[in-house]
Protein backbone atom coordinates (compact mmCIF):
# COMPACT_ATOMS: atom_id res chain seq x y z
CA UNK A 1 0.00 0.00 0.00
CA UNK A 2 1.43 3.35 -1.02
CA UNK A 3 1.93 6.30 1.32
CA UNK A 4 -0.09 9.27 0.09
CA UNK A 5 1.61 12.62 0.73
CA UNK A 6 -0.08 15.96 0.17
CA UNK A 7 2.03 19.06 -0.44
CA UNK A 8 -0.10 21.99 0.64
CA UNK A 9 0.11 25.54 2.01
CA UNK A 10 -3.13 27.51 1.79
CA UNK A 11 -1.37 30.52 0.31
CA UNK A 12 -0.31 30.57 -3.33
CA UNK A 13 3.18 31.08 -4.69
CA UNK A 14 5.05 29.76 -1.66
CA UNK A 15 6.65 26.80 -3.46
CA UNK A 16 4.20 23.88 -3.40
CA UNK A 17 4.82 22.75 -6.95
CA UNK A 18 8.59 23.25 -6.66
CA UNK A 19 8.49 21.17 -3.48
CA UNK A 20 6.26 18.47 -5.00
CA UNK A 21 8.62 18.11 -7.94
CA UNK A 22 11.72 18.10 -5.74
CA UNK A 23 10.39 15.65 -3.16
CA UNK A 24 8.97 13.29 -5.77
CA UNK A 25 12.26 13.32 -7.69
CA UNK A 26 14.23 12.86 -4.48
CA UNK A 27 12.16 9.86 -3.39
CA UNK A 28 12.52 8.30 -6.84
CA UNK A 29 16.28 8.89 -6.84
CA UNK A 30 16.41 7.10 -3.48
CA UNK A 31 14.94 4.08 -5.27
CA UNK A 32 11.26 4.39 -4.29
CA UNK A 33 8.61 4.08 -6.98
CA UNK A 34 6.91 7.47 -6.88
CA UNK A 35 4.01 9.13 -8.68
CA UNK A 36 3.29 12.84 -8.49
CA UNK A 37 -0.19 14.19 -9.26
CA UNK A 38 -1.04 17.78 -10.16
CA UNK A 39 -4.35 18.63 -8.44
CA UNK A 40 -4.38 22.19 -9.74
CA UNK A 41 -6.98 21.53 -12.44
CA UNK A 42 -7.23 24.49 -14.79
CA UNK A 43 -3.80 25.89 -13.94
CA UNK A 44 -1.40 23.16 -15.02
CA UNK A 45 2.11 23.85 -13.70
CA UNK A 46 3.73 20.68 -12.44
CA UNK A 47 4.50 19.39 -15.94
CA UNK A 48 6.45 22.59 -16.65
CA UNK A 49 8.54 22.28 -13.50
CA UNK A 50 9.14 18.62 -14.30
CA UNK A 51 10.00 19.48 -17.90
CA UNK A 52 7.47 17.13 -19.49
CA UNK A 53 4.90 19.64 -20.79
CA UNK A 54 5.37 18.55 -24.40
CA UNK A 55 4.60 14.94 -23.58
CA UNK A 56 1.16 15.46 -22.05
CA UNK A 57 -1.53 13.57 -23.96
CA UNK A 58 -4.11 12.60 -21.36
CA UNK A 59 -4.49 14.07 -17.89
CA UNK A 60 -5.87 13.44 -14.39
CA UNK A 61 -9.39 14.56 -15.34
CA UNK A 62 -9.43 12.27 -18.41
CA UNK A 63 -8.63 9.35 -16.12
CA UNK A 64 -11.29 10.32 -13.57
CA UNK A 65 -13.97 10.68 -16.23
CA UNK A 66 -12.96 7.40 -17.89
CA UNK A 67 -11.75 8.92 -21.16
CA UNK A 68 -8.32 7.39 -20.70
CA UNK A 69 -6.78 4.78 -18.48
CA UNK A 70 -4.07 5.48 -15.97
CA UNK A 71 -1.23 4.02 -18.04
CA UNK A 72 -2.11 6.29 -20.95
CA UNK A 73 -2.02 9.39 -18.76
CA UNK A 74 1.05 8.67 -16.61
CA UNK A 75 4.21 10.26 -17.97
CA UNK A 76 7.43 8.44 -17.18
CA UNK A 77 10.24 10.77 -16.24
CA UNK A 78 13.17 10.56 -18.67
CA UNK A 79 15.89 11.40 -16.15
CA UNK A 80 14.90 9.37 -13.11
CA UNK A 81 13.68 5.78 -13.05
CA UNK A 82 10.77 5.01 -10.74
CA UNK A 83 9.16 8.43 -11.29
CA UNK A 84 5.85 9.14 -13.02
CA UNK A 85 3.85 12.34 -13.42
CA UNK A 86 0.08 12.62 -13.70
CA UNK A 87 -0.59 16.11 -15.10
CA UNK A 88 -3.63 18.27 -14.42
CA UNK A 89 -6.06 19.31 -17.09
CA UNK A 90 -5.61 22.76 -18.56
CA UNK A 91 -9.06 22.94 -20.09
CA UNK A 92 -11.37 21.74 -17.34
CA UNK A 93 -12.29 23.36 -14.06
CA UNK A 94 -12.03 22.02 -10.54
CA UNK A 95 -15.57 20.65 -10.51
CA UNK A 96 -14.32 17.87 -12.76
CA UNK A 97 -12.65 16.32 -9.70
CA UNK A 98 -14.89 14.02 -7.71
CA UNK A 99 -14.09 12.33 -4.44
CA UNK A 100 -14.93 8.89 -5.84
CA UNK A 101 -12.84 9.55 -8.93
CA UNK A 102 -9.82 10.71 -6.94
CA UNK A 103 -10.14 7.73 -4.61
CA UNK A 104 -10.26 5.32 -7.55
CA UNK A 105 -7.15 6.82 -9.18
CA UNK A 106 -5.22 6.82 -5.88
CA UNK A 107 -6.21 3.21 -5.24
CA UNK A 108 -5.05 2.17 -8.69
CA UNK A 109 -1.75 4.02 -8.26
CA UNK A 110 -1.30 2.36 -4.86
CA UNK A 111 -0.96 -1.01 -6.58
CA UNK A 112 2.25 0.01 -8.34
CA UNK A 113 3.81 2.87 -6.38
CA UNK A 114 5.37 3.29 -2.95
CA UNK A 115 4.77 7.02 -2.68
CA UNK A 116 2.06 9.19 -4.22
CA UNK A 117 2.67 12.94 -4.00
CA UNK A 118 -0.42 15.14 -4.34
CA UNK A 119 0.48 18.67 -5.42
CA UNK A 120 -2.35 20.73 -3.94
CA UNK A 121 -3.68 23.93 -5.50
CA UNK A 122 -3.63 27.09 -3.35
CA UNK A 123 -6.63 27.95 -1.24
CA UNK A 124 -8.95 25.68 0.70
CA UNK A 125 -11.52 25.02 -2.01
CA UNK A 126 -12.51 21.74 -3.59
CA UNK A 127 -9.22 20.91 -5.33
CA UNK A 128 -7.17 21.52 -2.19
CA UNK A 129 -9.64 19.61 -0.01
CA UNK A 130 -9.55 16.60 -2.35
CA UNK A 131 -5.75 16.67 -2.57
CA UNK A 132 -5.58 16.50 1.23
CA UNK A 133 -8.53 14.20 1.91
CA UNK A 134 -6.82 10.84 1.34
CA UNK A 135 -3.40 11.86 2.68
CA UNK A 136 -1.34 9.79 5.11
CA UNK A 137 1.27 12.51 5.46
CA UNK A 138 1.39 16.21 4.75
CA UNK A 139 4.20 18.55 3.84
CA UNK A 140 3.02 22.05 4.66
CA UNK A 141 5.03 24.63 2.72
CA UNK A 142 5.30 28.08 4.26
CA UNK A 143 7.33 31.23 3.67
CA UNK A 144 8.72 33.17 6.65
CA UNK A 145 6.02 35.82 6.41
CA UNK A 146 2.90 36.35 8.54
CA UNK A 147 0.14 35.75 5.99
CA UNK A 148 1.75 32.53 4.78
CA UNK A 149 2.15 31.31 8.36
CA UNK A 150 -1.47 32.15 9.16
CA UNK A 151 -2.70 30.24 6.09
CA UNK A 152 -0.50 27.26 6.95
CA UNK A 153 -2.01 27.24 10.42
CA UNK A 154 -5.47 27.13 8.88
CA UNK A 155 -4.44 24.27 6.60
CA UNK A 156 -3.00 22.34 9.56
CA UNK A 157 -6.38 22.69 11.25
CA UNK A 158 -8.08 21.28 8.15
CA UNK A 159 -5.64 18.36 7.98
CA UNK A 160 -6.51 17.53 11.58
CA UNK A 161 -10.25 17.57 11.00
CA UNK A 162 -11.34 17.21 7.37
CA UNK A 163 -9.25 14.31 6.07
CA UNK A 164 -10.31 10.70 5.70
CA UNK A 165 -8.04 9.74 8.61
CA UNK A 166 -9.72 12.34 10.84
CA UNK A 167 -13.21 11.29 9.78
CA UNK A 168 -12.51 7.62 10.43
CA UNK A 169 -10.75 8.35 13.71
CA UNK A 170 -7.53 6.69 12.46
CA UNK A 171 -4.06 7.82 13.45
CA UNK A 172 -3.84 11.50 12.41
CA UNK A 173 -2.12 12.70 9.25
CA UNK A 174 1.60 13.17 9.94
CA UNK A 175 2.23 16.88 9.43
CA UNK A 176 5.63 18.37 8.66
CA UNK A 177 6.70 21.88 7.82
CA UNK A 178 8.92 22.95 4.97
CA UNK A 179 9.99 26.57 5.25
CA UNK A 180 10.87 27.90 1.79
CA UNK A 181 12.43 31.15 0.51
CA UNK A 182 14.36 31.62 3.76
CA UNK A 183 16.88 34.41 3.81
CA UNK A 184 19.15 34.45 6.90
CA UNK A 185 20.36 37.95 6.08
CA UNK A 186 16.84 39.35 6.10
CA UNK A 187 16.01 37.47 9.29
CA UNK A 188 19.06 39.06 10.91
CA UNK A 189 17.85 42.49 9.82
CA UNK A 190 14.44 41.75 11.31
CA UNK A 191 12.66 41.85 7.95
CA UNK A 192 11.61 38.22 8.02
CA UNK A 193 10.27 35.76 10.58
CA UNK A 194 12.92 33.36 11.87
CA UNK A 195 12.61 29.57 11.85
CA UNK A 196 12.04 29.74 15.61
CA UNK A 197 9.21 32.28 15.24
CA UNK A 198 7.44 30.17 12.63
CA UNK A 199 7.88 26.95 14.60
CA UNK A 200 6.59 28.56 17.76
CA UNK A 201 3.38 29.63 16.03
CA UNK A 202 2.79 26.46 14.03
CA UNK A 203 4.08 23.92 16.59
CA UNK A 204 4.80 21.28 13.98
CA UNK A 205 7.82 19.12 13.12
CA UNK A 206 10.33 20.84 10.79
CA UNK A 207 11.18 18.86 7.66
CA UNK A 208 13.52 21.40 6.16
CA UNK A 209 14.43 24.99 5.44
CA UNK A 210 15.00 25.93 1.80
CA UNK A 211 17.05 29.10 1.34
CA UNK A 212 15.90 31.84 -1.02
CA UNK A 213 17.89 31.03 -4.13
CA UNK A 214 18.19 32.04 -7.76
CA UNK A 215 18.70 28.38 -8.52
CA UNK A 216 15.01 27.66 -7.90
CA UNK A 217 13.79 30.02 -10.61
CA UNK A 218 16.49 28.91 -13.04
CA UNK A 219 15.68 25.25 -12.48
CA UNK A 220 11.93 25.90 -12.86
CA UNK A 221 12.45 27.72 -16.13
CA UNK A 222 14.65 24.92 -17.39
CA UNK A 223 12.10 22.28 -16.35
CA UNK A 224 14.53 20.54 -14.02
CA UNK A 225 13.48 19.73 -10.44
CA UNK A 226 15.84 21.84 -8.31
CA UNK A 227 16.82 18.83 -6.20
CA UNK A 228 18.83 17.58 -9.21
CA UNK A 229 21.03 20.67 -9.10
CA UNK A 230 23.57 19.18 -6.68
CA UNK A 231 25.78 22.25 -6.57
CA UNK A 232 23.06 24.71 -5.43
CA UNK A 233 22.07 25.50 -1.85
CA UNK A 234 18.36 24.97 -2.57
CA UNK A 235 19.08 21.64 -4.24
CA UNK A 236 21.10 20.46 -1.26
CA UNK A 237 18.44 21.70 1.17
CA UNK A 238 15.81 19.63 -0.66
CA UNK A 239 18.11 16.61 -0.62
CA UNK A 240 18.40 16.98 3.15
CA UNK A 241 14.62 17.33 3.46
CA UNK A 242 13.99 14.13 1.48
CA UNK A 243 16.59 12.27 3.57
CA UNK A 244 14.83 13.44 6.73
CA UNK A 245 11.51 12.42 5.23
CA UNK A 246 12.90 8.91 4.83
CA UNK A 247 13.93 8.85 8.48
CA UNK A 248 17.54 9.97 8.30
CA UNK A 249 18.79 12.48 10.88
CA UNK A 250 20.46 15.47 9.29
CA UNK A 251 21.32 18.83 10.85
CA UNK A 252 19.57 21.87 9.38
CA UNK A 253 21.85 23.90 7.14
CA UNK A 254 21.45 27.34 5.54
CA UNK A 255 20.00 28.86 8.73
CA UNK A 256 22.80 31.40 9.13
CA UNK A 257 24.46 33.72 6.70
CA UNK A 258 27.10 32.04 4.59
CA UNK A 259 30.57 33.31 5.33
CA UNK A 260 34.07 32.86 4.01
CA UNK A 261 34.94 29.29 3.24
CA UNK A 262 31.37 27.99 3.35
CA UNK A 263 30.25 30.85 1.12
CA UNK A 264 32.80 29.90 -1.51
CA UNK A 265 31.98 26.23 -1.18
CA UNK A 266 28.25 26.60 -1.71
CA UNK A 267 28.16 29.61 -4.01
CA UNK A 268 25.13 31.84 -3.93
CA UNK B 1 -29.78 31.89 3.97
CA UNK B 2 -28.18 34.02 6.65
CA UNK B 3 -25.76 32.48 9.13
CA UNK B 4 -26.23 33.96 12.58
CA UNK B 5 -24.35 31.19 14.38
CA UNK B 6 -21.22 33.31 14.75
CA UNK B 7 -22.92 36.34 16.27
CA UNK B 8 -21.77 37.02 19.78
CA UNK B 9 -23.38 39.00 22.54
CA UNK B 10 -24.90 41.56 20.21
CA UNK B 11 -26.68 38.74 18.38
CA UNK B 12 -30.18 39.18 19.81
CA UNK B 13 -30.36 42.84 18.85
CA UNK B 14 -28.97 42.11 15.39
CA UNK B 15 -31.57 39.43 14.74
CA UNK B 16 -34.49 41.65 15.65
CA UNK B 17 -33.12 44.39 13.43
CA UNK B 18 -32.38 42.03 10.54
CA UNK B 19 -35.89 40.56 10.69
CA UNK B 20 -37.41 44.03 10.47
CA UNK B 21 -35.05 45.00 7.64
CA UNK B 22 -35.84 41.93 5.55
CA UNK B 23 -39.60 42.17 6.06
CA UNK B 24 -39.59 45.85 5.10
CA UNK B 25 -38.10 44.75 1.77
CA UNK B 26 -40.78 42.17 1.20
CA UNK B 27 -38.70 39.10 2.01
CA UNK B 28 -40.28 36.19 3.81
CA UNK B 29 -38.34 34.65 6.66
CA UNK B 30 -38.84 30.93 6.85
CA UNK B 31 -37.30 30.40 10.24
CA UNK B 32 -34.21 30.15 12.39
CA UNK B 33 -32.08 27.09 12.65
CA UNK B 34 -29.15 26.59 14.99
CA UNK B 35 -27.50 29.12 17.26
CA UNK B 36 -26.82 30.03 20.84
CA UNK B 37 -29.79 29.96 23.17
CA UNK B 38 -29.88 33.73 23.50
CA UNK B 39 -30.09 34.03 19.71
CA UNK B 40 -32.86 31.48 19.50
CA UNK B 41 -34.80 33.35 22.19
CA UNK B 42 -34.34 36.63 20.38
CA UNK B 43 -35.49 35.03 17.15
CA UNK B 44 -38.73 33.80 18.69
CA UNK B 45 -39.30 37.25 20.19
CA UNK B 46 -38.91 38.70 16.70
CA UNK B 47 -41.65 36.32 15.57
CA UNK B 48 -39.47 33.89 13.66
CA UNK B 49 -40.39 30.21 13.76
CA UNK B 50 -37.67 27.81 14.98
CA UNK B 51 -36.49 24.93 12.87
CA UNK B 52 -34.72 21.94 14.28
CA UNK B 53 -33.59 23.58 17.50
CA UNK B 54 -32.76 20.20 18.99
CA UNK B 55 -29.62 20.03 16.86
CA UNK B 56 -28.47 23.50 17.76
CA UNK B 57 -24.81 23.57 18.66
CA UNK B 58 -22.24 26.27 18.08
CA UNK B 59 -19.39 23.78 18.39
CA UNK B 60 -18.08 22.64 15.04
CA UNK B 61 -18.57 18.95 14.62
CA UNK B 62 -14.90 18.43 13.77
CA UNK B 63 -13.77 19.73 17.13
CA UNK B 64 -16.43 17.92 19.07
CA UNK B 65 -15.60 14.68 17.37
CA UNK B 66 -11.85 14.84 17.77
CA UNK B 67 -12.06 15.42 21.50
CA UNK B 68 -13.13 13.23 24.36
CA UNK B 69 -16.38 13.91 26.13
CA UNK B 70 -16.14 16.68 28.71
CA UNK B 71 -15.30 15.36 32.17
CA UNK B 72 -17.14 17.07 35.01
CA UNK B 73 -18.43 19.78 32.68
CA UNK B 74 -15.01 20.83 31.37
CA UNK B 75 -13.52 20.25 27.94
CA UNK B 76 -9.83 19.40 27.55
CA UNK B 77 -8.16 20.13 24.18
CA UNK B 78 -4.71 18.61 23.72
CA UNK B 79 -3.97 19.83 20.18
CA UNK B 80 -3.23 23.42 19.16
CA UNK B 81 -6.39 25.36 18.28
CA UNK B 82 -5.58 26.57 14.78
CA UNK B 83 -6.63 29.56 12.71
CA UNK B 84 -10.26 29.25 11.65
CA UNK B 85 -11.17 26.73 14.35
CA UNK B 86 -13.61 27.42 17.12
CA UNK B 87 -13.92 25.47 20.36
CA UNK B 88 -16.77 26.02 22.79
CA UNK B 89 -17.05 24.38 26.20
CA UNK B 90 -20.78 24.48 26.81
CA UNK B 91 -21.77 24.56 30.42
CA UNK B 92 -18.24 24.36 31.82
CA UNK B 93 -14.57 25.21 31.64
CA UNK B 94 -12.27 24.95 28.66
CA UNK B 95 -8.72 23.74 29.13
CA UNK B 96 -6.31 24.03 26.20
CA UNK B 97 -2.99 22.26 26.77
CA UNK B 98 -1.40 23.86 23.71
CA UNK B 99 -1.52 27.27 22.04
CA UNK B 100 -4.41 29.13 20.43
CA UNK B 101 -3.41 30.52 17.03
CA UNK B 102 -4.30 33.90 15.58
CA UNK B 103 -7.69 33.66 13.92
CA UNK B 104 -8.86 30.91 16.27
CA UNK B 105 -11.56 31.36 18.89
CA UNK B 106 -12.01 29.59 22.23
CA UNK B 107 -15.18 30.03 24.26
CA UNK B 108 -16.51 28.66 27.53
CA UNK B 109 -19.51 29.17 29.75
CA UNK B 110 -17.01 28.96 32.62
CA UNK B 111 -13.28 29.68 32.81
CA UNK B 112 -10.81 29.41 29.92
CA UNK B 113 -7.38 27.96 30.75
CA UNK B 114 -4.65 28.03 28.12
CA UNK B 115 -1.33 26.39 28.95
CA UNK B 116 0.39 27.71 25.82
CA UNK B 117 0.33 31.09 24.12
CA UNK B 118 -3.00 32.78 23.47
CA UNK B 119 -2.80 34.50 20.08
CA UNK B 120 -6.43 34.24 19.02
CA UNK B 121 -9.66 35.23 20.77
CA UNK B 122 -10.73 33.97 24.17
CA UNK B 123 -14.19 34.46 25.62
CA UNK B 124 -15.06 33.27 29.13
CA UNK B 125 -18.51 33.30 30.69
CA UNK B 126 -20.22 33.62 27.33
CA UNK B 127 -23.64 33.05 28.90
CA UNK B 128 -23.15 35.85 31.36
CA UNK B 129 -21.10 34.43 34.22
CA UNK B 130 -19.19 37.52 35.41
CA UNK B 131 -17.08 35.42 37.78
CA UNK B 132 -15.49 33.53 34.88
CA UNK B 133 -11.79 34.13 34.20
CA UNK B 134 -9.25 33.57 31.46
CA UNK B 135 -5.84 32.16 32.39
CA UNK B 136 -2.95 31.84 29.98
CA UNK B 137 0.83 31.42 29.98
CA UNK B 138 1.54 34.09 27.41
CA UNK B 139 -0.97 36.73 26.39
CA UNK B 140 -0.86 37.93 22.79
CA UNK B 141 -4.59 37.72 22.22
CA UNK B 142 -6.60 39.43 19.50
CA UNK B 143 -9.60 39.79 21.80
CA UNK B 144 -10.47 39.00 25.40
CA UNK B 145 -13.99 38.86 26.76
CA UNK B 146 -15.56 37.99 30.11
CA UNK B 147 -19.35 37.88 30.26
CA UNK B 148 -19.63 40.08 27.20
CA UNK B 149 -17.20 42.77 28.39
CA UNK B 150 -14.48 42.71 25.82
CA UNK B 151 -11.20 44.39 24.96
CA UNK B 152 -9.33 44.18 21.69
CA UNK B 153 -5.59 43.88 21.33
CA UNK B 154 -5.11 47.63 20.77
CA UNK B 155 -6.35 48.30 24.28
CA UNK B 156 -4.03 45.93 26.14
CA UNK B 157 -1.24 45.03 23.74
CA UNK B 158 1.68 45.65 26.07
CA UNK B 159 0.23 43.88 29.05
CA UNK B 160 0.74 40.19 29.64
CA UNK B 161 3.05 39.31 26.74
CA UNK B 162 5.56 36.65 27.71
CA UNK B 163 4.21 35.98 31.20
CA UNK B 164 1.41 34.01 32.83
CA UNK B 165 -1.64 36.19 33.44
CA UNK B 166 -5.26 36.03 34.43
CA UNK B 167 -8.09 38.12 33.05
CA UNK B 168 -11.17 38.83 35.13
CA UNK B 169 -14.01 41.25 35.53
CA UNK B 170 -13.80 43.97 38.19
CA UNK B 171 -17.14 45.83 38.22
CA UNK B 172 -17.63 45.76 34.43
CA UNK B 173 -13.96 46.54 33.76
CA UNK B 174 -11.71 43.90 32.34
CA UNK B 175 -8.53 43.52 34.41
CA UNK B 176 -5.36 41.75 33.31
CA UNK B 177 -3.02 40.76 36.11
CA UNK B 178 0.17 38.70 36.24
CA UNK B 179 -0.10 35.39 38.06
Amino acid sequence: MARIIVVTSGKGGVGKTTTSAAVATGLAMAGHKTAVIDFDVGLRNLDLIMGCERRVVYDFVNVISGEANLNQALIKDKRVDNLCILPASQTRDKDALTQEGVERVLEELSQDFEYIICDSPAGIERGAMLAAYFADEAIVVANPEVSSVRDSDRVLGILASKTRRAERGDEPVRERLLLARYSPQRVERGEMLSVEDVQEILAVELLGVIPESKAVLQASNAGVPVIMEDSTDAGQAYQDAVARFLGEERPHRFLVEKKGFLGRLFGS
Amino acid sequence: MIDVGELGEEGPAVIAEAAGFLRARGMQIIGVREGLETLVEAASEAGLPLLNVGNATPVRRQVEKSEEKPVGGSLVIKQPVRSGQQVYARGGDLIVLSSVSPGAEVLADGHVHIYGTLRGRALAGVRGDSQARIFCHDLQAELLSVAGNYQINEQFKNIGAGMPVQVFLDEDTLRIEPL
Side-chain angles (χ1 to χ4, degrees), chain A residues 56-124:
Chain A
V56 176
V57 182
Y58 293 108
D59 58 51
F60 192 21
V61 172
N62 291 140
V63 178
I64 284 179
S65 56
E67 293 153 13
N69 66 41
L70 199 51
N71 287 328
Q72 289 174 299
L74 278 176
I75 303 171
K76 241 179 117 12
D77 192 87
K78 281 187 173 166
R79 296 158 297 217
V80 187
D81 291 339
N82 305 321
L83 180 60
C84 283
I85 300 117
L86 184 54
S89 172
Q90 186 82 287
T91 49
R92 309 289 190 89
D93 63 37
K94 288 190 168 63
D95 295 333
L97 293 180
T98 61
Q99 185 160 316
E100 299 72 39
V102 172
E103 184 172 20
R104 195 166 43 77
V105 172
L106 290 175
E107 245 164 44
E108 210 179 323
L109 284 170
S110 290
Q111 315 289 327
D112 293 329
F113 291 91
E114 285 173 75
Y115 289 104
I116 301 167
I117 314 283
C118 302
D119 180 21
S120 171
I124 50 172

Side-chain angles (χ1 to χ4, degrees), chain A:
Chain A
M1 196 61 191
R3 290 292 280 176
I4 300 172
I5 302 150
V6 61
V7 177
T8 183
S9 71
K11 194 169 160 59
V14 296
K16 282 182 297 297
T17 301
T18 302
T19 299
S20 298
V23 170
T25 307
L27 289 171
M29 289 197 299
H32 301 283
K33 269 205 98 181
T34 305
V36 54
I37 308 176
D38 190 348
F39 271 77
D40 205 348
V41 174
L43 295 167
R44 212 174 78 192
N45 279 166
L46 180 70
D47 50 330
L48 290 170
I49 310 282
M50 295 295 297
C52 64
E53 72 276 12
R54 292 200 191 87
R55 298 164 59 207
V56 176
V57 182
Y58 293 108
D59 58 51
F60 192 21
V61 172
N62 291 140
V63 178
I64 284 179
S65 56
E67 293 153 13
N69 66 41
L70 199 51
N71 287 328
Q72 289 174 299
L74 278 176
I75 303 171
K76 241 179 117 12
D77 192 87
K78 281 187 173 166
R79 296 158 297 217
V80 187
D81 291 339
N82 305 321
L83 180 60
C84 283
I85 300 117
L86 184 54
S89 172
Q90 186 82 287
T91 49
R92 309 289 190 89
D93 63 37
K94 288 190 168 63
D95 295 333
L97 293 180
T98 61
Q99 185 160 316
E100 299 72 39
V102 172
E103 184 172 20
R104 195 166 43 77
V105 172
L106 290 175
E107 245 164 44
E108 210 179 323
L109 284 170
S110 290
Q111 315 289 327
D112 293 329
F113 291 91
E114 285 173 75
Y115 289 104
I116 301 167
I117 314 283
C118 302
D119 180 21
S120 171
I124 50 172
E125 304 304 325
R126 188 183 181 81
M129 290 300 202
L130 282 174
Y133 185 75
F134 298 99
D136 300 307
E137 306 201 26
I139 298 176
V140 176
V141 184
N143 291 164
E145 166 266 314
V146 282
S147 59
S148 170
V149 172
R150 167 85 59 107
D151 290 359
S152 297
D153 193 51
R154 180 89 174 87
V155 162
L156 285 163
I158 289 169
L159 288 168
S161 60
K162 297 269 171 69
T163 53
R164 182 167 67 173
R165 281 177 172 264
E167 283 177 5
R168 287 181 175 175
D170 293 346
E171 197 187 319
V173 177
R174 183 168 182 191
E175 303 155 341
R176 282 182 280 193
L177 173 71
L178 193 96
L179 197 58
R181 312 189 83 159
Y182 194 74
S183 163
Q185 294 95 315
R186 298 190 63 191
V187 170
E188 222 162 85
R189 290 202 298 265
E191 296 170 1
M192 213 179 233
L193 295 175
S194 70
V195 189
E196 292 77 22
D197 293 340
V198 176
Q199 267 202 292
E200 205 198 306
I201 297 173
L202 294 181
V204 59
E205 191 186 339
L206 184 66
L207 182 64
V209 177
I210 312 299
E212 170 87 75
S213 168
K214 287 177 193 148
V216 173
L217 186 63
Q218 275 162 10
S220 296
N221 287 339
V224 179
V226 69
I227 195 168
M228 300 184 85
E229 306 280 0
D230 290 329
S231 60
T232 65
D233 48 1
Q236 291 171 10
Y238 271 119
Q239 287 169 4
D240 286 356
V242 170
R244 278 184 213 110
F245 186 88
L246 291 170
E248 203 179 305
E249 295 243 348
R250 287 201 186 178
H252 288 281
R253 298 189 275 171
F254 316 110
L255 299 186
V256 286
E257 207 171 335
K258 302 179 286 264
K259 279 169 194 134
F261 168 69
L262 282 177
R264 282 203 302 279
L265 190 65
F266 294 134
S268 56

Side-chain angles (χ1 to χ4, degrees), chain B residues 26-126:
Chain B
M27 279 189 236
Q28 280 297 320
I29 297 159
I30 304 296
V32 174
R33 204 190 63 178
E34 188 159 285
L36 294 164
E37 267 168 42
T38 50
L39 295 181
V40 173
E41 268 168 38
S44 60
E45 273 165 31
L48 306 178
L50 303 182
L51 308 173
N52 214 5
V53 183
N55 289 342
T57 167
V59 182
R60 298 210 178 143
R61 199 175 296 136
Q62 54 181 60
V63 178
E64 208 172 44
K65 213 169 125 194
S66 62
E67 301 306 326
E68 289 155 33
K69 280 278 163 240
V71 184
S74 54
L75 179 64
V76 181
I77 306 286
K78 296 169 196 140
Q79 301 299 319
V81 185
R82 305 217 176 255
S83 175
Q85 291 182 319
Q86 189 190 43
V87 183
Y88 174 38
R90 174 183 284 271
D93 295 350
L94 176 67
I95 296 145
V96 181
L97 299 178
S98 186
S99 293
V100 177
S101 292
E105 191 170 57
V106 290
L107 310 97
D109 288 342
H111 308 301
V112 176
H113 305 256
I114 296 157
Y115 288 86
T117 307
L118 169 59
R119 296 189 179 87
R121 301 161 155 241
L123 297 90
V126 293

